Amino acid sequence: MSTTESTPTHVAIVMDGNGRWARARGLPRAAGHRQGAEALRRTIVGAGELGIRYLTLFGFSSENWNRPSGEVQDLMGLLRHYLRSEIADLHAKGARLRVIGDRGRFDPDIVALIANAEDLTRGNDRLNLTLAISYGGRDEIITAVRTLSADAAAGRIDPQAIDASAFADRLFTADLPDPDVVIRTSGEKRLSNFLLWQSAYAELVFVDKYWPDFGKADLEDAVHEFKRRERRYGAVG
Ligand code: FPP
């Protein structure tokens, strides 16, 4: 059996289980999110050490806006804090930050912090860190379809010329490779609207730990699992 020998280029993670981590300790959900932010820092450092070039993390889905407003504010507060306190360090380490998702619902100061962080780190390429926030895969696909249809209706493109590559170019992830591995923590086995198009051939790795307990060793385990698996892209092995 042929197996992938190399480290995955792009690892994407659904960070799940902050609330259950907190509940298991009799703590408020906010405490789980704070520990989740620590796990995020550890994982970014670990990814750099393991030679992973692209790391994409699902931090807040389009549906998460429906959570109680206090929890949404806690998460936005963590995001604000993260963008203010971590970007200089990420930049110094040669990391590029991108944020994918619908920015229309963020407070204006968060929109500005994201734009500043993206501008500052645009020239970096050692680690490409992408935070999916206010992100939904179906919304992303619908938006791409709309822009392609508008271009076709206006005669700017020939509908027959629309192929997978032209479509992928209209997604938030246009300049990212597809993920090789998608990891989900907390034992749940779903994609939950994360990178639906991009994950077509990704290896899925489910980890039983809650996200706040995740760290470099777990990332390394997932990389080993990826290397063990045979990837055939629909062909014969
Ligand atoms: C899933 O756990 C986690 C989230 C919805 C938020 C992820 C946020 C962080 C890791 C903190 C850092 C955040 C940013 C934006 C930088 P859950 O709350 O769905 O847990 P549950 O399923 O156990 O209730």
Side-chain angles (χ1 to χ4, degrees):
M1 185 177 88
S2 75
T3 54
T4 50
E5 277 137 38
S6 53
T7 297
T9 302
H10 186 174
V11 174
I13 309 182
V14 181
M15 306 183 286
D16 194 15
N18 293 353
R20 279 163 284 165
W21 181 93
R23 192 171 62 215
R25 288 160 179 78
L27 296 170
R29 292 177 62 83
H33 294 317
R34 275 198 302 278
Q35 285 306 309
E38 289 304 318
L40 180 120
R41 284 188 194 94
R42 285 198 299 275
T43 303
I44 292 168
V45 172
E49 290 169 358
L50 293 171
I52 293 164
R53 297 284 310 285
Y54 292 82
L55 180 67
T56 299
L57 299 149
F58 200 6
F60 193 88
S61 72
S62 318
E63 293 74 29
N64 286 156
W65 291 109
N66 299 324
R67 290 192 177 194
S69 66
E71 181 168 351
V72 170
Q73 300 218 334
D74 286 339
L75 286 165
M76 289 299 128
L78 277 173
L79 174 61
R80 197 177 267 117
H81 179 74
Y82 186 83
L83 290 168
R84 285 194 185 126
S85 63
E86 304 284 328
I87 298 308
D89 188 46
L90 281 179
H91 182 46
K93 290 185 171 129
R96 175 172 181 180
L97 181 83
R98 294 174 177 84
V99 175
I100 56 171
D102 173 11
R103 296 183 193 193
R105 299 183 73 176
F106 292 134
D107 287 345
D109 70 306
I110 292 189
V111 175
L113 284 167
I114 292 171
N116 288 342
E118 288 184 333
D119 286 347
L120 176 71
T121 61
R122 196 173 303 281
N124 300 336
D125 194 33
R126 188 171 297 165
L127 172 68
N128 287 271
L129 173 65
T130 303
L131 296 179
I133 302 178
S134 190
Y135 171 87
R138 286 186 172 181
D139 284 349
E140 180 185 34
I141 288 170
I142 294 288
T143 305
V145 169
R146 277 202 199 108
T147 66
L148 282 169
S149 325
D151 281 353
R156 288 188 290 268
I157 50 169
D158 172 2
Q160 294 307 320
I162 299 173
D163 57 9
S165 159
F167 185 79
D169 282 347
R170 304 297 175 111
L171 298 172
F172 290 132
T173 50
D175 58 346
L176 303 177
D178 284 344
D180 301 295
V181 191
V182 176
I183 301 170
R184 182 173 188 145
T185 58
S186 91
E188 304 290 349
K189 297 182 175 64
R190 292 187 291 278
L191 279 179
S192 295
N193 209 9
F194 183 48
L195 301 180
L196 294 181
W197 168 275
Q198 299 88 336
S199 296
Y201 292 103
E203 294 294 331
L204 306 181
V205 176
F206 300 105
V207 178
D208 281 334
K209 286 182 181 178
Y210 295 139
W211 174 251
D213 290 327
F214 192 88
K216 182 183 171 188
D218 302 297
L219 188 58
E220 206 164 6
D221 286 349
V223 167
H224 285 142
E225 175 65 24
F226 167 80
K227 290 181 178 177
R228 260 188 350 96
R229 292 192 195 173
E230 185 187 18
R231 297 176 89 199
R232 294 195 299 259
Y233 299 96
V236 176

